[in-house]
Amino acid sequence: MYSLSSGHVVYRDEPNTVFWSRRLTRPIYLNDGRTVATLAHARDLMLEIPAARREAVHWRMAADLLLAAARFGGQEPIRLAGAQMSSALRADDLA
């Protein structure tokens, strides 16, 4: 089980510290003028989106990749998370 809104991810009684402060490889510029520059910004933006809308495949993929990037770090996981987040935002005409 995991929680997107918490500072920790828990997988079956095993607490894991995650680092939401990690910077995305490239910032994402939203149509409303905001900038998504960290995993935390991406997480917070996702939580603003209505829950029913977040059930779309592109948002579920973004959530999974954001969690992996926050948990494990590394250039490639962070790049993939940012790319999927950007794609999801474009799909919903937010970026």
Side-chain angles (χ1 to χ4, degrees):
M1 208 52 143
Y2 61 84
S3 173
L4 189 65
S5 62
S6 71
H8 291 81
V9 176
V10 177
Y11 291 94
R12 298 251 183 201
D13 299 330
E14 178 187 288
N16 294 290
T17 302
V18 295
F19 298 94
W20 292 108
S21 61
R22 290 184 170 120
R23 297 192 72 70
L24 295 175
T25 307
R26 295 179 184 194
I28 303 167
Y29 301 99
L30 304 180
N31 293 338
D32 65 7
R34 292 183 290 169
T35 301
V36 179
T38 67
L39 297 175
H41 293 154
R43 178 201 62 207
D44 294 346
L45 178 62
M46 284 188 71
L47 292 171
E48 291 176 14
I49 295 170
R53 199 170 177 188
R54 285 194 314 257
E55 290 301 314
V57 172
H58 54 272
W59 286 115
R60 289 195 320 246
M61 284 180 68
D64 289 344
L65 290 168
L66 285 171
L67 285 167
R71 182 173 181 212
F72 300 111
Q75 186 175 8
E76 189 64 7
I78 292 171
R79 186 193 67 74
L80 290 172
Q84 181 60 38
M85 185 69 183
S86 184
S87 177
L89 288 164
R90 284 193 314 275
D92 283 4
D93 202 29
L94 298 172

